[in-house]
Amino acid sequence: MDDQPVGIFDSGVGGLSVLQHIHQLLPNENLLYVADSGHAPYGCRDEAYIEQRSRIITEYLLAQGAKVIVIACNTATASIIETFRQQYGIPFIGVEPGIKPAIAFTKNNKIGVMATSGTISSERYKDLSLRYTKSISLYNQSCPGLADQVEAGLLDTPETFLLLEKYLSRLLSRQVDTIVLGCTHYSFLSVPIKAIICDSIELVDTSRAIAEQLLRVLAQEFMAKKSGAGNVQYLTTGSIEKTQVTMSRLLKRNVVVKRLV
Ligand code: DGL
């Protein structure tokens, strides 16, 4: 199991927010990250398309010997994780909006969730939110265009700020005191988001918790026992040049990206 990589994928670069924590927590593991940038965003696609793309990437990762797959995308997790857990013989770890941790923070029981329309309209998310709506008021905000800004590396442009103001003002008008980042791309926007919302509002990001969950799963039998540092490979189905620039910017170091057709 030592050299078998942990496969990680997202519609694009958003899942790097999860990869960063995984790399920090599990430095010995080989990581293989696929950004499906050639087909992003997933948030406005139908489930059949997301399943088809996720299957192609999953089967690529399995062919590379992945021992565990992290679906670092809320939208894809919502569509396919249960099916894939049944169909493929390895563990899958997914990401979903952190409503449960948000409940631990909220004082007025008003929680806002920023996510893609695909996540918000999925059966999995509806089931998750129904579990809690007796005790809290949940305000879902889909954020078209926001993942594209991150995908293009435009974290602090006026356009990104305007989009954030538009979506956040709807949540703020509901007096939410806690906001869940329900899309892995949005983690990279926490600085401009914090500049718009007031300090007393809690921002919930589950990317660290996903890495901890991976650690628990690996600890059962899959953890690399070698002492040397693991290697991290980045692949994209989109433009190598653009993805390389965006990934290096998000990770704050130069990375080499290869092409996955
Ligand atoms: N990063 C993805 C998520 O967590 C979605 C972005 C997109 O492709 O729309 O939901």
Side-chain angles (χ1 to χ4, degrees):
M1 290 284 170
D2 267 22
D3 292 322
Q4 284 184 256
V6 172
I8 307 167
F9 77 90
D10 178 37
S11 61
V13 296
L16 293 177
S17 54
V18 179
L19 174 135
Q20 278 179 316
H21 289 287
I22 294 176
H23 192 43
Q24 207 175 48
L25 210 58
L26 294 156
N28 302 336
E29 296 292 340
N30 292 338
L31 307 181
L32 186 51
Y33 183 90
V34 176
D36 199 11
S37 306
H39 302 87
Y42 283 179
C44 51
R45 303 286 196 162
D46 61 38
E47 296 216 339
Y49 185 86
I50 297 169
E51 175 169 348
Q52 184 208 13
R53 291 304 314 158
S54 302
R55 198 176 287 288
I56 289 171
I57 296 169
T58 293
E59 290 182 0
Y60 170 79
L61 292 170
L62 289 173
Q64 305 309 306
K67 54 186 172 183
V68 178
I69 292 181
V70 179
I71 307 176
C73 175
N74 292 262
T75 317
T77 299
S79 299
I80 49 100
I81 196 165
E82 286 314 325
T83 314
F84 281 23
R85 277 182 177 147
Q86 284 163 21
Q87 291 178 350
Y88 297 102
I90 61 161
F92 280 83
I93 294 171
V95 203
E96 57 190 7
I99 298 177
K100 206 171 165 195
I103 290 174
F105 288 118
T106 182
K107 294 193 175 57
N108 68 4
N109 293 334
K110 292 181 180 180
I111 296 173
V113 178
M114 296 169 76
T116 67
S117 41
T119 297
I120 292 171
S121 59
S122 69
E123 288 307 314
R124 189 177 168 91
Y125 181 68
K126 282 183 200 152
D127 286 352
L128 174 74
S129 32
L130 274 177
R131 265 183 256 156
Y132 300 107
T133 37
K134 277 200 186 110
S135 52
I136 53 158
S137 300
L138 207 56
Y139 301 101
N140 296 315
Q141 181 61 54
S142 64
C143 306
L146 212 48
D148 305 83
Q149 294 298 104
V150 178
E151 205 53 37
L154 304 173
L155 306 183
D156 47 17
T157 62
E159 291 75 19
T160 304
F161 208 75
L162 275 177
L163 276 178
L164 283 173
E165 274 188 325
K166 176 165 110 184
Y167 299 136
L168 287 166
S169 65
R170 295 182 191 159
L171 294 177
L172 297 177
S173 71
R174 305 290 196 159
Q175 278 89 42
V176 298
D177 70 352
T178 307
I179 294 178
V180 176
L181 300 180
C183 168
T184 50
H185 281 73
Y186 307 163
S187 297
F188 289 109
L189 296 171
S190 58
V191 172
I193 290 175
K194 280 181 185 154
I196 295 172
I197 62 177
C198 63
D199 286 348
S200 61
I201 296 180
E202 189 71 40
L203 216 50
V204 176
D205 179 348
T206 54
S207 33
R208 172 81 189 178
I210 304 306
E212 287 166 356
Q213 168 66 4
L214 173 65
L215 188 142
R216 284 190 287 274
V217 169
L218 290 178
Q220 287 166 10
E221 54 187 306
F222 303 103
M223 187 96 84
K225 306 279 190 306
K226 64 184 164 76
S227 54
N231 64 59
V232 186
Q233 294 181 65
Y234 304 90
L235 299 165
T236 181
T237 58
S239 143
I240 295 183
E241 292 76 19
K242 281 189 196 154
T243 308
Q244 196 154 280
V245 169
T246 304
M247 284 189 171
S248 300
R249 177 156 193 215
L250 297 179
L251 294 173
K252 299 190 176 75
R253 65 192 155 79
N254 288 335
V255 298
V256 175
V257 178
K258 291 188 188 147
R259 169 103 184 140
L260 173 67
V261 186

